[in-house]
Amino acid sequence: MFDWTRVWLIARRELTTRFQQRSYRWTTIIQIVVVAIVAMAPVIIARFTDDDGAAVTTVAVVDQAEASTANRLAPYLDGGGELDPMTVTSASTPEDAQRMVDDGDVDLALVVTRETDGNLTYVIATEDGEATSTEAQRLTGAVTILVTEDRLVASGLSPEQAQGIFAPANISYMEASGTGAGTSTDDPTAAEYIISYVAVVLVFM
C-alpha cells in the first residue's frame, strides 16, 4: 500500500533542507517574479491601447497639396467596428514626418503633393520601407480611394458626390440557418486576463 505519511516526511525534509540555502530562496523568488512579469505582460500591453481595447495605429500626414487629406482620410481608417482604428495627425514637413516614424511617435507617414498635371501623388513612409503590414495596406487602399475621389471632382462632381460613390454598402449578417443575426464573442476583459495568468503562475509555482 502507498504510504502517504512517508512521502510527506520526505517532501518536508527536502523542502526544509533546500530553504535553508540562501541561494535556493533567492532563485525561487526571482523565478516567481519573472514568471509573474511574463504572465502579466498582456495586461500591461493592454494599458497602451484605447478604451475599447483596440490597438491604435497613427498616421502622420504632410499635405503639401492642401487637399484636406487628413480630414478626408480619417473616415476610411476608423475601422468601422471590424478593424482596429487608425488615427490621423498632421506633420509640418516630410522630414518631420519621417523623424516621427523613426522615433516611434507614429506608425506611418503620408506625404501628399500635386503634380503639374493636377494629379495627386502620395508617398507612404514606414519604419522598414516596406508596405507589407496590414496597416500599410489599409492606408494604401484609403489613398487609392482619395485619388479616385480627386479625379471625380476634377471631372465635375462635387466633393460630396465623389465621397458618396465610395460610401460603404448597407450589409448585415445572419446565421446560415436564417434563425437570427450572428453574434460575436467579446474580447477578454482585463480581469479575465489577470485571473488566467495568475492561474498560469500558480501552475509554474
Side-chain angles (χ1 to χ4, degrees), residues 38 46 58 64 89-90 94 98 100 106 120 122 128 145 159 169 187 189-190:
V38 172
T58 304
Q64 296 181 326
T89 186
S90 298
Q98 183 62 57
M100 293 168 70
V106 299
L120 294 175
Y122 298 85
D128 57 4
I145 294 176
D187 293 333
T189 63

Side-chain angles (χ1 to χ4, degrees), residues 1-2 5 13 31-32 42 60 71 76 85-86 95 98-99 109 130-131 138-139 158:
M1 181 179 295
F2 194 79
T5 302
R13 184 190 63 185
Q31 288 176 342
I32 293 174
N71 293 333
Y76 299 112
M86 298 174 66
E95 293 75 18
Q98 183 62 57
R99 184 164 51 251
E130 303 290 338
R138 287 177 57 191
L139 181 57
S158 67

Side-chain angles (χ1 to χ4, degrees), residues 60-121:
V61 176
V62 182
D63 193 354
Q64 296 181 326
E66 299 182 354
S68 302
T69 302
N71 293 333
R72 294 169 57 199
L73 195 63
Y76 299 112
L77 299 178
D78 64 1
E82 299 296 332
L83 299 172
D84 291 340
M86 298 174 66
T87 60
V88 180
T89 186
S90 298
S92 302
T93 64
E95 293 75 18
D96 289 340
Q98 183 62 57
R99 184 164 51 251
M100 293 168 70
V101 174
D102 292 337
D103 294 342
D105 298 328
V106 299
D107 302 281
L108 302 164
L110 178 66
V111 179
V112 188
T113 56
R114 191 178 291 277
E115 299 177 354
T116 55
D117 60 2
N119 288 322
L120 294 175
T121 299

Side-chain angles (χ1 to χ4, degrees), residues 168-190:
N170 185 11
I171 302 174
S172 59
Y173 298 88
M174 62 179 299
E175 296 177 3
S177 62
T179 56
T183 58
S184 60
T185 303
D186 294 335
D187 293 333
T189 63

Side-chain angles (χ1 to χ4, degrees), residues 1 14 31 33 43 89 114-115 137-138 166 188 192 204:
M1 181 179 295
E14 290 294 324
Q31 288 176 342
V33 172
V43 178
T89 186
R114 191 178 291 277
E115 299 177 354
Q137 292 296 321
R138 287 177 57 191
F166 296 98
E192 291 170 336
F204 275 101

Side-chain angles (χ1 to χ4, degrees), residues 14-71:
E14 290 294 324
L15 289 173
T16 302
T17 302
R18 287 181 177 273
F19 269 100
Q20 289 176 351
Q21 303 174 8
R22 179 178 298 179
S23 60
Y24 179 82
R25 293 198 299 270
W26 279 108
T27 301
T28 302
I29 293 174
I30 292 174
Q31 288 176 342
I32 293 174
V33 172
V34 170
V35 171
I37 292 175
V38 172
M40 295 298 294
V43 178
I44 297 174
I45 294 174
R47 300 289 296 178
F48 294 94
T49 60
D50 62 0
D51 294 338
D52 295 330
V56 178
T57 299
T58 304
V59 180
V61 176
V62 182
D63 193 354
Q64 296 181 326
E66 299 182 354
S68 302
T69 302
N71 293 333

